[in-house]
Amino acid sequence: MPRDTNLILCPLNLRHVRLDYSAYEEAIAMARRREARLLVVTVAPEMERNLNIRDSVGYWNEQLEKFVKDHPAEGVELETVVRTGAVHRQIVKLADERNVDMIVMEAANPKIQDYLLGTTASHVVTHASCSVFVVRN
């Protein structure tokens, strides 16, 4: 018997989302099919590279809200969250804290250093206590 899916987590890298947001689209489609809520998260860096950004969490919250407004998830109850820290750790931590049933995330084609250090997606797949659906772009 399949498990119920009540809450889907979809992490977004807003620095790259202009190029591809197929994981977000897949998460919306899954949420509709499963009648689940969608939790969209972005992780702000602990130290912002852009020195013009004074309030990193506030800035990325605005960017996330703008993205969601520009790409509405019609028919899906959606919540946004901004976290700070290491992306791979924050995704797993948020999934545990919120009792997420599934994570839907993208995985870029790995570079050679990713094979040595590990990608965000591979860390999440290894450490998440829920199912993880990885969308290749």
Side-chain angles (χ1 to χ4, degrees), residues 60-128:
W60 290 110
N61 189 52
E62 282 179 25
Q63 297 303 307
L64 184 56
E65 292 295 330
K66 182 179 183 306
F67 176 84
V68 168
K69 182 180 177 199
D70 292 344
H71 304 89
E74 294 171 7
V76 174
E77 183 181 330
L78 185 142
E79 178 186 349
T80 59
V81 174
V82 176
R83 299 293 283 256
T84 305
V87 176
H88 58 287
R89 287 190 189 102
Q90 289 302 320
I91 293 169
V92 172
K93 186 176 178 181
L94 180 60
D96 287 341
E97 288 172 5
R98 297 293 296 271
N99 231 6
V100 166
D101 299 301
M102 178 180 289
I103 300 171
V104 177
M105 64 184 299
E106 67 178 38
N109 290 324
K111 300 178 187 88
I112 188 65
Q113 67 264 29
D114 294 332
Y115 287 109
L116 301 173
L117 300 173
T119 64
T120 298
S122 65
H123 178 90
V124 172
V125 167
T126 304
H127 294 91

Side-chain angles (χ1 to χ4, degrees), residues 34-45:
R34 297 167 183 245
E35 298 179 356
R37 293 175 294 124
L38 183 58
L39 180 60
V40 181
V41 64
T42 195
V43 180

Side-chain angles (χ1 to χ4, degrees), residues 1-64:
M1 180 172 183
R3 291 188 223 170
D4 285 340
T5 303
N6 298 310
L7 183 60
I8 297 173
L9 173 64
C10 181
L12 289 180
N13 181 343
L14 292 174
R15 293 188 198 296
H16 301 125
V17 81
R18 287 183 193 100
L19 304 174
D20 183 34
Y21 48 89
S22 53
Y24 175 73
E25 291 174 327
E26 185 66 42
I28 291 170
M30 282 186 175
R32 280 190 193 122
R33 283 192 307 269
R34 297 167 183 245
E35 298 179 356
R37 293 175 294 124
L38 183 58
L39 180 60
V40 181
V41 64
T42 195
V43 180
E46 289 183 82
M47 184 174 285
E48 191 62 58
R49 290 183 285 186
N50 183 343
L51 298 178
N52 293 322
I53 298 174
R54 302 267 187 250
D55 174 14
S56 185
V57 172
Y59 173 80
W60 290 110
N61 189 52
E62 282 179 25
Q63 297 303 307
L64 184 56

